[in-house]
DNA sequence: ATCTGGATTGACT
DNA sequence: GTCAATCCAGATG
């Protein structure tokens, strides 16, 4: 099954809106082993210089955050402990905003995903930001790519019936920012990550 | 050169 | 519920 990447224009919308528009879209990764993909069911927006929870808070510009200052649609990956997390860069150039992809519902390459994620319940394959990167084999080598061209891209998926929003996860030490309702998910979808 | 801590996960009490 | 794994970016000297 092949998919058509969404055009670069898709990414040219305000970050919070894009974070919701991404819900239901298909995240695809092609490797030598084949194609694996999943529908995005949970995202979190990080709002650049003004957002204490963002790596780019105060326009902090480093080797890691550099890609956030680039144009919308770039791939921002970073390592969290033993896991890779993946973001969609958004906002105009020099406005370092990004959207973290937190959960997927598996679509293509179920056997591949199962093999990569080991013997566990299917719902555990992709219901977390570090899990889905392992399932699709998204790594630091994808840093700086564009989401509108293979091997890592986003395509049209389904249109969510209901979208819910609430505080982001895992950012306890960021003052007021921890309360901002910038996490968005497909209501009632079983693959949405569980909060702690 | 060295130290610190994290946008997580999985195993264990 | 708690906690270790395990590694690198970022900060500091």
């Amino acid at each position: 099954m092949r998919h058509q990447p969404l055009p670069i224009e898709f990414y040219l919308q305000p970050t919070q809106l894009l974070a919701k528009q991404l819900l239901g879209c298909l995240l695809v990764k092609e490797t030598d082993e084949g194609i694996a993909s999943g529908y995005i069911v949970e995202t979190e927006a990080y709002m650049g210089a003004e957002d204490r929870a963002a790596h780019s808070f105060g326009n902090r510009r480093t080797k890691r955050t550099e890609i956030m200052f680039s144009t919308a649609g770039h791939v921002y990956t970073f390592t969290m402990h033993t896991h890779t997390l993946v973001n969609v860069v958004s906002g105009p150039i020099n406005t370092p905003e990004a959207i973290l992809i937190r959960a997927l519902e598996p679509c293509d390459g179920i056997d591949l995903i199962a093999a990569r994620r080991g013997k566990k319940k299917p719902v555990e394959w992709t219901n977390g930001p570090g899990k889905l990167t392992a399932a699709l084999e998204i790594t630091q080598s994808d840093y700086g790519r564009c989401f509108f061209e293979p091997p890592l891209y986003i395509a049209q998926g389904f249109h969510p019936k209901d979208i819910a929003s609430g505080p982001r996860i895992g950012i306890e030490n960021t003052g007021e920012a921890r309360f901002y309702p910038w996490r968005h998910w497909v209501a009632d979808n079983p693959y949405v990550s569980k909060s702690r």
Side-chain angles (χ1 to χ4, degrees):
Chain A
M1 186 171 178
R2 302 288 299 191
H3 304 282
Q4 182 65 40
L6 289 168
I8 187 169
E9 289 78 19
F10 172 72
Y11 300 92
L12 306 179
Q13 51 186 324
T15 297
Q16 295 295 338
L17 185 56
L18 181 57
K20 295 178 189 174
Q21 294 283 321
L22 281 169
L23 295 173
C25 290
L26 193 63
L27 179 65
V28 187
K29 176 70 191 278
E30 298 178 0
T31 69
D32 292 340
E33 301 175 297
I35 292 180
S37 75
Y39 298 104
I40 298 169
V41 296
E42 182 180 0
T43 60
E44 274 181 3
Y46 285 85
M47 301 300 285
E50 313 300 315
D51 180 2
R52 210 174 138 188
H55 293 152
S56 52
F57 176 63
N59 279 321
R60 197 159 54 109
R61 191 163 189 155
T62 65
K63 182 178 164 189
R64 179 173 71 160
T65 63
E66 184 60 33
I67 198 66
M68 295 181 75
F69 291 81
S70 191
T71 51
H74 278 89
V75 179
Y76 172 35
T77 54
F78 69 95
T79 305
M80 180 57 185
H81 289 264
T82 55
H83 305 275
T84 300
L85 275 59
V86 65
N87 298 249
V88 179
V89 173
S90 74
I93 192 163
N94 288 330
T95 302
E97 300 174 350
I99 299 159
L100 171 69
I101 299 174
R102 286 198 59 92
L104 301 179
E105 177 175 335
C107 178
D108 301 304
I110 298 296
D111 293 343
L112 206 47
I113 292 173
R116 288 167 177 166
R117 294 290 296 136
K119 210 172 180 183
K120 46 173 65 74
K121 287 186 295 184
V123 75
E124 302 289 332
W125 287 343
T126 54
N127 67 339
K131 299 179 186 179
L132 69 91
T133 54
L136 299 201
E137 205 169 292
I138 294 169
T139 69
Q140 271 306 104
S141 66
D142 292 308
Y143 181 96
R145 287 193 204 275
C146 297
F147 275 115
F148 39 84
E149 57 191 24
L152 177 59
Y153 59 96
I154 291 171
Q156 182 136 48
F158 68 91
H159 191 72
K161 195 153 54 90
D162 284 305
I163 292 173
S165 301
R168 292 171 293 179
I169 291 176
I171 52 166
E172 307 306 312
N173 292 320
T174 59
E176 284 296 306
R178 60 182 290 194
F179 302 116
Y180 302 160
W182 291 347
R183 173 177 172 242
H184 310 290
W185 65 93
V186 177
D188 301 321
N189 187 286
Y191 290 89
V192 172
S193 70
K194 301 168 185 99
S195 53
R196 296 250 170 174

